[in-house]
Amino acid sequence: MENQQHILLVEDEQSLSDWIAEYLTMRGFKVTQTARGDDAVTLIQSLNPDLVLLDGMLPGMDGVDVCKTVRPEFSNAIIMITARDEEADEVLGLEMGADDFLVKPIRARALLSRIKILLNKQNQTSSAPSDDPLANDPSNDNELRFNKLIINASTRQVTLADEQINLSTKEFDVLWLLANRAGQVVSREQLVTDLRGFEYDGFDRSIDLQVSRLRKKLNGKNVDKSTDNQTDRIKTIWGKGYLFVKDVW
């Protein structure tokens, strides 16, 4: 089938893997299955799937290490799956580059919803659906420039001092929304609502982790480290949110 979106499913529980694969295949996805973390790294690098469903506990290499290994070059979505509803697991997975997190037992409709949300954002173009946060922004002219920083929404590419910065889907969306409001404080509530479509509960740390990873990645190799402070580029305004600074790029 043409234009079939490709999902790599990394799960060592065979019955669960087969059930997820069958469910997604029936809904039009191409699914490749593997049960080992080390094999997953090879497959991600060779197949460049549109999305990865990645179990946390795997033979060969655990899910967190898989995520950490592939993330520098792989910018498509990764959803981590875990058997434990532990905040520490979620925080670690998000810090290593996961875009979302699901706890077993997996609910089919919740899984499909998460997949569709991430893929819709990932496949966004200038004619993106109206429910996409980038498309809804009235200041969206597809490209933003701040001195040496260039953010292009059509290609979803970011360059800083002529260096291409590889961002995950969520990292790009956070950057775009903050940059579109450069010089203004954007609250966590606004970011969560725009990016995830539901109200902030006061406990969601994923936005903080995305911003932390953005700060690290935007401290580019070609930037003068003697004068640059990446934390000052995206400031935390305590009790209020984040501020993208215009003139430090």
Side-chain angles (χ1 to χ4, degrees):
M1 184 183 297
E2 292 186 3
N3 301 322
Q4 219 178 6
Q5 290 176 307
H6 186 189
I7 295 175
L8 176 64
L9 171 58
V10 190
E11 170 61 62
D12 64 334
E13 186 179 335
Q14 194 61 50
S15 60
L16 176 60
S17 181
D18 290 343
W19 172 77
I20 293 174
E22 181 180 2
Y23 177 78
L24 295 177
T25 299
M26 290 176 64
R27 280 148 185 82
F29 295 100
K30 177 183 177 182
V31 181
T32 298
Q33 295 170 256
T34 186
R36 293 184 58 87
D38 46 1
D39 291 341
V41 171
T42 302
L43 289 169
I44 290 168
Q45 293 170 341
S46 62
L47 298 177
N48 192 36
D50 297 295
L51 182 141
V52 177
L53 291 174
L54 181 62
D55 189 25
M57 298 297 291
L58 295 164
M61 179 184 291
D62 69 34
V64 170
D65 286 336
V66 171
C67 202
K68 182 179 179 181
T69 300
V70 303
R71 206 27 130 185
E73 301 299 328
F74 180 71
S75 60
N76 290 346
I78 298 175
I79 298 177
M80 288 202 68
I81 300 171
T82 181
R84 301 191 305 170
D85 188 8
E86 296 286 345
E87 182 183 9
D89 291 346
E90 181 173 358
V91 169
L92 183 58
L94 292 168
E95 285 180 339
M96 292 301 103
D99 293 285
D100 211 338
F101 206 86
L102 282 173
V103 178
K104 296 177 181 177
I106 300 298
R107 292 175 296 143
R109 291 178 63 184
L111 173 63
L112 185 62
S113 176
R114 302 287 183 92
I115 289 171
K116 286 183 174 180
I117 288 170
L118 287 172
L119 289 177
N120 283 341
K121 289 179 179 179
Q122 200 161 275
N123 296 332
Q124 178 198 316
T125 64
S126 58
S127 59
S130 60
D131 62 349
D132 190 293
L134 303 193
N136 280 339
D137 197 313
S139 62
N140 179 8
D141 291 324
N142 294 325
E143 186 170 280
L144 299 174
R145 290 175 177 261
F146 302 90
N147 194 15
K148 296 178 181 179
L149 177 69
I150 302 172
I151 312 168
N152 190 295
S154 296
T155 61
R156 299 184 73 83
Q157 290 184 335
V158 176
T159 56
L160 177 59
D162 298 320
E163 174 192 355
Q164 184 165 323
I165 310 298
N166 292 318
L167 301 181
S168 71
T169 299
K170 283 194 175 181
E171 288 167 356
F172 183 92
D173 289 344
V174 170
L175 177 62
W176 180 262
L177 288 171
L178 290 174
N180 258 299
R181 295 165 175 79
Q184 304 173 37
V185 177
V186 182
S187 69
R188 289 178 178 84
E189 291 86 345
Q190 283 180 278
L191 287 169
V192 170
T193 301
D194 286 352
L195 293 170
R196 303 187 70 173
F198 53 76
E199 293 184 0
Y200 179 62
D201 62 7
F203 298 99
D204 191 328
R205 291 194 57 202
S206 62
I207 295 296
D208 299 333
L209 293 169
Q210 304 293 345
V211 172
S212 176
R213 281 157 46 192
L214 275 173
R215 285 172 174 156
K216 292 176 183 177
K217 291 186 177 183
L218 291 173
N219 188 24
K221 297 175 183 177
N222 298 333
V223 176
D224 184 357
K225 304 298 191 299
S226 64
T227 60
D228 178 69
N229 184 338
Q230 73 267 29
T231 301
D232 289 337
R233 293 170 161 180
I234 302 176
K235 291 186 176 181
T236 298
I237 309 300
W238 295 108
K240 294 185 177 180
Y242 294 104
L243 173 69
F244 181 97
V245 183
K246 294 181 179 181
D247 55 359
V248 293
W249 302 94

